[in-house]
């Protein structure tokens, strides 16, 4: 093959590759579009064959019905509170913990790091029953505290791990330079480290937020009323004992996704800017 | 006082974290460990616990279900993580390159991540229904309907595909961050040296991305291996338990078979497997980038 | 403190048109200091208007606050089991079913207390004989049935007539014959457009209902001498039937091994099935669709109509309520249970929500006949209700479902599957 045709071959290959990825992205969105299409259909247009995309009589009221038949607003409030609190606590403790582990000088450092991560490796499914029993005994079932505690446990080790790797890449000299001026550790953190930690914290917070927002099993078991039920539990309630209200389910699912989507979009632009450091160490 | 806090800053925070985590997890984990050595029978309202030593563990390893579900779990994890990795990398590279439509594309990629997995599973179960699902409706002109969830191998493929669908956004974001950290100069240097696209990818991109890939694979593996909602929602364990994994088996043993001792042993074994995997994996692949 | 037989004998008190509280109830409640009792309601209350009405009535009658937790089917068990293994008083009334929150196992483990004081022979007369056999365990009663359902035959009148049939199939051979005629490829593209028949065998619950009904339609039973026996002639015929429908005659979609009892009515409503075996409340799903005017329900055909088996023989699954052994409000819980099983509460359940209750008296009320679709069909079914409860129910059902799954996939012959199932069940 001549040089030019091999170059053309390469170019075609590259274009084909990009096209393939683009196709994947489109296909990946299809179920969500279908969910939207279903959410504006009346139920009798959902259970049809062959399935079609555009409803004959678009029924937008479903979006209102979702809030009318179930205390969806409460669910959303609960999800927001639980996810935000979890994220805030994880980011704070995780940032400090990651920094501490990174800068720690004693020998047991790696053992400690692995233990912290190891705590998370225990299958959470086995903890559901003991947690329920503990919470019931202390009367904190169906309270934010319980759910937040569980989610913090589930997220903190990973956040620490991410942040630790990130801080390992921030040279110690910066610390020392700051200390020379007579700062306390706190001041050092606040003024020097925290701004650098932006991208790491952004990744960690997206991670923690989404995990808490989308989690189902623990939320279902540890809560039982609108005082504490979160959105995934609420959306699953549209699956009744006798039939599935598909249009409401889809509408509910889409509504539930919006805050998470906004959060991810908002925070991910912070990651994109040079998370290199944290990524390199992992 | 302030001096003390300052000096032992790191140690204090590490302790705090241990306390926070420990509070939540120490008691249940210890009770699970403890129960794994017992056999608890409930009769007429009394919990009769009998210490049976390692018997439960012996039962675990001689249980054909344990090995079968372990194998199925590994297949599922490897499949989902592998696909997520490859697709995530491809999407990340695309996002890195394009200037126009970036926001749109990024939005599209991120969408599967924000749907609660349990809801996604139920939705896909409907889409993959062999008689009235959208997927078979679409392939109808080209192919006979496929029993996506009712044929053992295909059900596993469906499960892997749907799970990967929910994980790709995470992989993409992480790897995009990694890609953006690769200094442009190295690419330029490579181009000057006459390296083509594939060579640049192999000798510049991949080595730099290595730690990121290592992290992503580890995190995803841990999460996917222990997933419960996706399988329960999509296949309920599949045709004749062909898509069931250890996680749901543990849950079943506690909640439906009331075998607390046995399920505790199973959980501990699962923990050991995951820990071993993590250690081996990190040892093999974890290296700093120079 | 509570005298359940006063001011009038229990049967009159409970089974009259209006529920009468037993004397001594107020003292008992005060002695206990109960202000409220808690229980789990399967699914959200907006889908249970009858239960809501019953609760409101009881609250007004007694002043006891009823707190219900709306929990999805799959999440009920973890919560209850966690509560009961931990011996916690969180739930006062316990929700039981045949094999997810199994009646027998819960009773054996002492998690629900015997409620013999709410039972006597006259009360027993309100339920079918088979039900009484199951409710009374070792001479004790632990729970009262709440509502239930049974698989029925659903079919499209227009399609049957078009194919030349003027009545629904009345035997299994006829079912196959009809189904073969009704499985059609309308547009000639080589793919089936409408299947003649469909059933649900996708999860263990659906499979058990299908399997159970097929056994009952032969006059057989899953229990032999009180133990589970799947290696029987009837069970074999039932499984053979299912496997042949899918793999030999090809009259059901291959995906039947993935369908639950929710999918089958949906498929029927979408026009993909000419006949189906599905829950008796399928009309709830079908009624919005265009096939509804042509929709009919009938008893599931017997295998052999001249065998002496009652054509209305129905396999039921019921949900029950019992009282938790660890409850701290036992008197109040018993009172509520007493009310829930009364004629008045059962009547509300059927009249308002069209649910099937096992209380035979309810089905003779004229207004029920009037308002409940296919009331006569359901009345016959209830009087012939069969239902089995056994130990280790969840494990048994998991085994049966799995082995049937292998048989449907063609990996094992029906004989092999049932033999293996029996061996595994014996080992439990």
């Amino acid at each position: 093959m001549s040089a030019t045709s091999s170059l053309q071959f390469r170019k075609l290959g590259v274009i084909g590759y990009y096209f393939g990825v683009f196709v994947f992205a489109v296909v990946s969105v299809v179920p969500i579009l279908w969910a939207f299409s279903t959410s504006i259909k009346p139920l009798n247009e959902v259970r049809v064959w062959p399935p079609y995309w555009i409803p004959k009589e678009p029924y937008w009221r479903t979006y209102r019905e979702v809030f009318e038949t179930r205390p969806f607003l409460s669910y959303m409030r609960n999800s927001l509170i639980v996810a935000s609190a979890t994220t805030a606590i994880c980011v704070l403790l995780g940032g400090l913990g990651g920094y501490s582990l990174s800068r720690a000088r004693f020998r047991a450092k790696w053992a400690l790091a692995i233990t912290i991560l190891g705590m998370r490796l225990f299958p959470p499914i086995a903890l559901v029953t003991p947690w329920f029993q503990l919470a019931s005994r202390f009367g904190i079932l169906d309270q934010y505290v319980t759910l937040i505690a569980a989610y913090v446990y589930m997220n903190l080790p990973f956040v620490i791990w991410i942040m630790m790797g990130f801080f390992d890449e921030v040279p110690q000299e910066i610390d020392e330079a700051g200390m020379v001026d007579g700062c306390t550790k706190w001041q050092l953190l606040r003024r020097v480290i925290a701004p650098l930690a932006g991208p790491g914290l952004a990744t960690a917070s997206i991670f923690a937020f989404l995990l808490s927002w989308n989690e189902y099993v623990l939320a279902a078991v540890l809560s039982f009323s609108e005082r504490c039920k979160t959105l995934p539990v609420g959306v699953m309630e549209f699956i009744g004992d006798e039939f599935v209200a598909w249009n409401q389910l889809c509408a509910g699912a889409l509504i539930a996704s919006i805050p998470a989507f906004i959060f991810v979009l908002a925070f991910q632009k912070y990651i994109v800017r040079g998370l290199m450091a944290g990524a390199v160490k992992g | 006082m302030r001096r003390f806090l300052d000096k032992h800053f790191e140690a204090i925070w590490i302790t705090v974290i241990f306390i926070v985590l420990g509070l939540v997890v120490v008691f249940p984990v210890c009770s699970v460990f403890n129960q794994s050595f017992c056999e608890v029978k409930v009769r007429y309202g009394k919990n009769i616990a009998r210490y049976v030593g390692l018997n439960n563990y012996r039962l675990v390893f001689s249980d054909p279900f344990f090995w079968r579900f372990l194998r199925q779990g590994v297949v599922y994890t490897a499949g989902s993580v592998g696909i997520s990795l490859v697709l995530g990398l491809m999407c990340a590279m695309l996002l890195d390159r394009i200037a126009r439509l970036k926001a749109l594309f990024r939005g599209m990629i991120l969408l599967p991540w924000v749907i609660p997995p349990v809801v996604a599973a139920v939705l896909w179960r409907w889409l993959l229904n062999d008689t009235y699902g959208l997927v078979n409706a679409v392939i109808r002109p080209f192919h006979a309907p496929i029993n996506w969830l009712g044929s053992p191998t295909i059900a596993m493929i469906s499960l892997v595909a749907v799970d990967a669908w929910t994980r790709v956004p995470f992989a993409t974001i992480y790897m995009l961050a990694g890609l953006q950290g690769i200094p442009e100069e190295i690419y330029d240097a490579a181009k000057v040296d006459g390296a083509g696209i594939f060579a640049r990818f192999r000798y510049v991109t991949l080595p730099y991305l290595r730690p990121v890939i290592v992290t992503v694979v580890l995190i995803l593996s841990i999460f996917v291996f222990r997933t419960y909602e996706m399988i329960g929602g999509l296949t309920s364990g599949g045709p004749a338990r062909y898509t069931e994994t250890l996680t749901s088996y543990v849950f079943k043993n506690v909640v439906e078979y009331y075998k607390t001792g046995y399920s505790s042993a199973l959980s501990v074994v699962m923990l050991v497997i995951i820990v071993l995997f993590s250690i081996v994996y990190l040892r093999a692949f974890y290296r700093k980038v120079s | 403190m509570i005298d359940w037989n006063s001011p009038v004998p229990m049967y009159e008190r409970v089974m009259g048109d209006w529920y009468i509280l037993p004397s001594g109830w107020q003292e008992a409640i005060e002695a206990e200091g109960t202000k409220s009792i808690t229980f789990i309601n399967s699914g959200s209350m907006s889908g249970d208007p009858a239960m809501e009405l019953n609760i409101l009535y009881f609250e007004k009658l007694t002043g006891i606050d009823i707190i219900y937790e709306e929990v999805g089917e799959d999440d009920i068990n973890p919560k209850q089991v966690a509560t009961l293994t931990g011996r916690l008083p969180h739930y006062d009334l316990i929700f039981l079913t045949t094999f997810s929150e199994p009646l027998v196992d819960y009773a054996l483990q002492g998690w629900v207390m015997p409620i013999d004081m709410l039972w006597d022979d006259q009360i027993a007369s309100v339920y079918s004989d088979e039900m009484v056999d199951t409710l009374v365990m070792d001479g004790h009663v632990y729970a009262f049935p709440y509502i239930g359902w049974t698989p029925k035959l659903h079919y499209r009148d227009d399609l049957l007539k078009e194919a030349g049939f003027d009545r629904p199939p009345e035997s299994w051979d006829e079912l196959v014959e009809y189904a073969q005629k009704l499985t059609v490829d309308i547009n000639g593209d080589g793919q089936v457009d409408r299947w003649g028949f469909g059933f649900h065998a996708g999860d263990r619950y659906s499979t058990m209902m299908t399997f159970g009904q097929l056994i009952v339609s032969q006059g057989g039973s899953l229990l032999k001498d009180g133990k589970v026996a799947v290696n029987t002639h009837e069970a074999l015929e039932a499984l053979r039937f299912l496997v042949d429908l899918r793999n030999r005659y090809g009259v059901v979609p291959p995906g039947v091994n993935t369908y639950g009892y929710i999918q089958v009515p949906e498929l029927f409503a979408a026009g993909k099935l000419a006949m189906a075996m599905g829950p008796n409340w399928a009309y709830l799903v079908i009624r919005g669709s265009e096939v509804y005017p042509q929709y009919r329900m009938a008893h599931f055909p017997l295998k052999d109509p001249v065998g002496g088996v009652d054509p209305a023989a129905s396999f039921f699954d019921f949900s029950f309520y019992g009282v938790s052994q660890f409850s701290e409000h036992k008197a109040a819980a018993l009172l509520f249970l007493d009310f829930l099983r009364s004629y008045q509460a059962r009547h509300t359940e059927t009249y308002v929500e069209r649910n099937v209750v096992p209380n035979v008296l309810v089905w003779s009320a004229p207004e029920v006949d009037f308002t409940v679709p296919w009331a006569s069909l359901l009345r016959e079914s209830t009087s012939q209700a069969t239902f089995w409860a056994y130990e280790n129910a969840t494990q048994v059902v998991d085994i049966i479902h799995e082995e049937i799954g292998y048989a449907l996939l063609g990996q094992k012959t029906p004989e092999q599957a049932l033999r293996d199932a029996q061996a595994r069940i014996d080992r439990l």
Side-chain angles (χ1 to χ4, degrees):
Chain A
M1 248 200 280
S2 70
T4 22
S5 59
S6 106
L7 193 67
Q8 277 172 336
F9 175 71
R10 288 255 182 84
K11 272 221 176 99
L12 269 174
V14 168
I15 293 178
Y17 160 86
Y18 284 149
F19 183 70
V21 179
F22 188 70
V23 165
F24 163 73
V26 169
V27 166
S28 161
V29 171
V30 163
I32 310 215
L33 291 174
W34 180 251
F36 179 68
S37 152
T38 308
S39 69
I40 51 176
K41 288 180 187 162
L43 259 185
N44 61 334
E45 287 198 45
V46 174
R47 304 179 183 128
V48 293
W49 176 266
Y52 48 87
W53 285 85
I54 319 251
K56 299 197 178 105
E57 295 171 18
Y59 188 71
W60 294 88
R61 267 208 103 225
T62 310
Y63 279 92
R64 188 136 57 105
E65 276 174 18
V66 160
F67 288 95
E68 285 169 3
T69 53
R70 310 298 309 140
F72 219 67
L73 218 48
S74 300
Y75 296 153
M76 188 160 283
R77 173 202 69 203
N78 297 338
S79 271
L80 276 171
I81 293 180
V82 170
S84 310
T86 308
T87 311
I89 295 177
C90 280
V91 160
L92 183 68
L93 280 182
L96 287 166
Y99 176 79
S100 303
L101 272 177
S102 164
R103 300 289 183 250
R105 283 285 149 259
F106 40 92
R107 252 169 289 160
K109 165 176 147 163
W110 275 111
L112 280 177
I114 292 187
T115 313
I116 287 184
L117 187 65
M119 279 185 173
R120 175 63 176 106
L121 295 181
F122 197 82
I125 207 82
L127 297 172
V128 167
T129 306
W131 271 342
F132 181 88
Q133 291 172 338
L134 265 178
S136 178
R137 222 165 257 156
F138 287 119
I140 50 174
L141 266 183
D142 205 44
Q143 307 276 6
Y144 292 142
V145 156
T146 325
L147 217 47
I148 294 176
Y151 287 164
V152 164
Y153 156 76
M154 284 172 77
N155 286 304
L156 195 54
F158 277 121
V159 172
I160 291 180
W161 198 43
I162 293 176
M163 296 311 297
M164 181 171 113
F166 178 84
F167 281 122
D168 276 348
E169 287 305 305
V170 177
Q172 291 266 32
E173 294 82 54
I174 298 190
D175 281 32
E176 275 146 32
M179 294 292 275
V180 156
D181 291 341
C183 295
T184 62
K185 275 279 166 72
W186 266 113
Q187 288 168 322
L188 171 71
L189 272 174
R190 226 167 0 121
R191 289 201 212 124
V192 181
I193 308 286
L196 285 177
L201 291 176
T203 327
S205 50
I206 293 187
F207 200 71
F209 189 84
L210 275 182
L211 213 136
S212 320
W213 188 264
N214 284 341
E215 205 274 338
Y216 176 73
V217 181
L218 280 172
V221 172
L222 293 176
S223 71
F224 55 74
S225 81
E226 63 188 75
R227 206 170 31 179
C228 189
K229 276 189 189 171
T230 57
L231 282 170
V233 182
V235 173
M236 290 299 277
E237 280 182 354
F238 291 117
I239 299 175
D241 278 348
E242 285 142 5
F243 61 86
V244 181
W246 289 109
N247 50 355
Q248 290 179 332
L249 182 81
C250 289
L254 290 175
I255 297 176
S257 310
I258 292 175
F261 194 52
I262 295 177
F263 189 91
V264 174
L265 279 182
F267 274 69
Q268 70 94 25
K269 66 162 105 73
Y270 291 109
I271 311 174
V272 175
R273 241 189 291 133
L275 175 57
M276 146 207 81
V280 164
K281 190 62 175 261
Chain B
M1 184 58 181
R2 184 162 278 189
R3 189 77 64 82
F4 175 79
L5 281 176
D6 226 52
K7 197 157 166 228
H8 299 278
F9 189 78
E10 291 88 15
I12 292 177
W13 280 111
I14 296 181
T15 320
V16 165
I17 295 209
F18 261 92
I19 293 179
V20 165
L21 284 178
L23 262 173
V24 178
V25 106
V26 144
F27 173 67
V29 170
C30 284
S31 93
V32 166
F33 263 101
N34 189 38
Q35 283 184 320
S36 71
F37 297 115
C38 302
E39 190 191 290
V40 185
K41 248 188 141 46
V42 189
R43 268 289 182 264
Y44 304 111
K46 289 197 230 312
N47 296 7
I48 310 166
R50 209 166 39 107
Y51 183 75
V52 291
L54 289 173
N55 195 38
N56 282 327
Y57 291 95
R58 211 173 304 139
L59 282 174
V60 167
F61 289 115
S62 59
D63 182 0
F65 273 143
F66 169 70
W67 296 106
R68 176 174 165 190
F69 294 154
L70 178 60
R71 190 174 25 110
Q72 285 170 191
V74 167
V75 167
Y76 162 59
T77 308
S80 176
V81 174
I83 295 181
S84 306
L85 188 70
V86 170
L87 281 175
L89 188 56
M90 287 167 69
C91 290
M93 289 202 291
L94 186 64
L95 273 178
D96 196 31
R97 296 260 169 243
I98 62 178
R100 286 176 281 178
L101 296 182
K102 192 168 184 161
L104 173 70
F105 195 57
R106 186 166 59 208
M108 279 161 57
I109 302 263
L110 286 179
L111 272 174
W113 201 15
V114 296
I115 306 254
V118 68
V119 178
V122 170
L123 201 63
W124 273 106
R125 190 179 199 156
W126 180 36
L127 291 172
L128 290 174
N129 186 296
D130 77 323
T131 308
Y132 70 166
L134 184 67
V135 175
N136 273 349
V138 165
I139 69 173
R140 195 149 220 262
F142 318 109
H143 196 283
I146 302 179
N147 194 357
W148 294 105
L149 302 173
S151 163
T153 346
I154 301 187
M156 180 56 90
I157 294 178
S158 305
L159 178 65
V160 164
V162 173
D163 194 81
W165 180 74
T166 56
R167 313 277 180 195
V168 166
F170 168 73
T172 309
I173 290 289
Y174 224 99
M175 294 215 251
L176 180 61
L179 277 175
Q180 305 232 317
I182 303 179
E184 201 58 39
E185 305 84 59
I186 312 223
Y187 276 124
D188 293 336
K191 265 191 228 164
V192 163
D193 284 346
I197 291 189
F198 295 115
R200 285 207 297 272
F201 178 74
R202 233 178 103 196
Y203 295 114
V204 178
T205 317
L206 273 187
Y208 257 94
L209 274 187
R210 191 198 175 90
V212 185
I213 295 182
V214 165
T215 317
V216 168
V217 168
L218 185 63
I219 295 184
L220 275 183
S221 302
I222 295 177
F223 272 107
V224 173
F225 187 68
R226 293 177 321 178
T227 218
Y228 176 71
E229 315 160 356
M230 179 61 65
I231 300 180
L234 191 67
T235 60
S236 307
R241 296 181 111 161
Y242 276 108
T243 55
E244 202 169 321
T245 60
L246 284 178
T247 318
S248 53
Y249 193 44
V250 167
F251 204 50
K252 254 195 185 141
N253 269 291
V254 177
V255 153
E256 295 176 359
Y257 300 171
Y258 321 123
K259 290 193 195 154
T260 355
Y262 185 69
S263 67
S264 304
L266 264 175
S267 313
V268 172
V269 172
M270 262 187 89
L271 171 70
V272 169
I273 291 176
I274 297 178
V275 168
L276 278 177
F277 166 73
S278 307
I279 294 180
V280 167
Y281 177 82
L282 284 175
R283 270 263 169 88
F285 293 107
Y286 186 87
R287 254 191 274 143
K288 291 196 205 179
V289 172
S290 54
Chain C
M1 233 175 288
I2 300 186
D3 186 357
W4 300 98
N5 271 304
S6 118
V8 281
M10 186 154 64
Y11 185 80
E12 275 174 60
R13 188 175 59 74
V14 163
M15 296 301 174
D17 279 341
W18 295 99
Y19 174 72
I20 302 173
L21 284 162
S23 16
W25 72 270
Q26 248 173 330
E27 293 80 2
I29 302 297
E30 265 157 45
E32 222 177 44
T34 302
K35 295 279 184 322
S36 68
I37 56 179
T38 313
F39 77 103
I40 289 187
N41 184 59
S42 174
S44 76
M45 196 53 89
S46 57
D48 278 331
M51 179 56 116
E52 191 155 27
L53 278 172
N54 281 332
I55 289 180
L56 280 170
Y57 188 84
F58 185 79
E59 284 180 337
K60 258 218 146 112
L61 200 61
T62 59
I64 302 175
D65 202 17
I66 311 271
I67 303 177
Y68 54 85
E69 294 184 7
E70 301 164 294
V71 181
E73 270 182 317
D74 299 318
D75 303 318
I76 295 181
N77 218 10
K79 294 191 191 213
Q80 279 191 168
V81 170
T83 310
L84 294 167
T85 39
R87 311 165 70 83
L88 298 161
H90 185 67
Y91 296 118
D92 298 294
L93 241 58
I94 301 288
F95 182 76
L96 300 160
T97 59
T98 347
F99 40 78
S100 279
E101 295 84 13
L103 175 59
V104 174
D105 292 307
Y106 273 50
L108 273 178
Q109 315 215 89
W111 284 346
V112 282
M113 56 175 267
I115 48 178
D116 301 334
M117 64 286 267
L118 295 181
W119 184 262
D120 66 30
D121 289 329
Q122 273 192 302
I123 301 276
S125 69
V126 155
Y127 305 104
S128 75
D129 291 334
E130 289 88 352
M131 286 256 14
V132 173
D133 278 339
T134 325
L135 280 173
V136 180
M137 288 183 264
D138 287 332
H140 295 288
V141 174
Y142 292 91
F144 275 99
Y146 172 50
I147 53 177
W149 65 273
T150 177
K152 290 258 155 278
L153 181 73
H154 310 278
Y155 64 95
R156 293 264 299 270
D157 201 40
D158 55 338
L159 294 176
L160 253 66
K161 292 219 163 62
E162 221 178 274
F165 303 117
D166 55 3
R167 57 163 177 77
E170 282 168 13
S171 77
W172 288 11
D173 291 331
E174 272 190 9
L175 184 75
V176 175
E177 186 198 327
Y178 281 44
Q180 281 172 318
K181 260 238 172 103
L182 291 164
T183 305
V184 290
D185 172 0
I186 299 176
N187 51 11
D189 58 352
Q191 295 174 24
V192 173
D193 291 298
R194 191 188 306 121
W195 298 90
F197 187 60
F199 57 85
H200 40 68
D203 58 82
R204 63 179 183 204
Y205 189 24
S206 311
T207 305
M208 271 316 281
M209 295 309 289
T210 308
F211 192 51
Q213 178 63 48
L214 289 180
I215 294 182
V216 164
S217 291
Q218 300 174 70
S221 169
L222 197 63
L223 296 174
K224 200 189 263 178
D225 303 323
K227 285 187 165 291
V228 175
V230 285
N231 224 350
T232 60
H233 172 72
E234 288 89 13
L236 189 56
E237 287 300 314
L239 186 53
R240 272 217 198 103
F241 187 54
L242 289 176
V243 173
D244 286 344
L245 281 171
R246 182 185 190 259
N247 299 340
R248 192 159 122 206
Y249 305 121
V251 293
V252 296
V256 282
N257 65 339
T258 62
Y259 300 158
Y261 57 85
I262 290 187
Q263 271 84 27
V264 168
E266 285 190 345
L267 284 168
F268 189 92
K272 296 297 285 184
L273 304 174
M275 301 189 292
M277 178 190 202
N280 58 277
W281 35 256
Y283 70 90
L284 283 174
V285 172
I286 303 174
R287 81 181 146 187
S289 71
E290 17 178 65
V291 310
Y292 192 54
Q294 305 302 328
Y295 162 67
R296 307 279 183 273
M297 183 164 86
H299 288 306
F300 193 75
L302 300 174
K303 175 163 200 298
D304 178 10
V306 293
V309 182
D310 192 308
S314 304
F315 177 62
F316 265 85
D317 180 57
F318 279 104
S319 49
F320 303 75
Y321 276 107
V323 175
S324 162
Q325 188 77 267
F326 313 111
S327 161
E328 288 170 356
H329 310 293
K330 290 203 175 107
L334 281 169
L335 203 62
F336 188 48
L337 196 58
D338 188 43
F339 172 66
L340 272 185
R341 56 85 183 254
S342 70
Y343 174 83
Q344 179 190 339
R346 303 289 85 220
H347 179 270
T348 308
E349 196 69 53
T350 307
Y351 183 62
V352 170
E353 228 180 287
R354 325 280 189 262
N355 276 324
V356 174
V357 301
N359 191 326
V360 171
L361 295 176
V362 170
W363 293 101
S364 4
E367 62 273 17
V368 165
D369 226 352
F370 229 48
T371 51
V372 176
W374 288 280
S376 57
L377 213 63
L378 295 173
R379 188 186 328 126
E380 289 165 9
S381 305
T382 318
S383 62
Q384 296 289 326
T386 311
F387 134 100
W388 309 303
Y390 33 87
E391 214 182 316
N392 292 320
T394 335
Q395 295 184 67
V396 168
V397 169
D398 269 341
I399 291 172
I400 295 180
H401 169 62
E402 190 189 332
E403 297 293 339
I404 291 185
Y406 295 134
L408 281 174
L409 284 170
Q411 291 178 354
K412 287 190 187 178
T413 65
E415 296 83 3
Q416 230 180 324
L418 289 179
R419 225 180 315 131
D420 291 342
Q422 187 66 54
R424 289 167 68 182
I425 292 176
D426 289 334
R427 258 183 280 147
L428 285 175

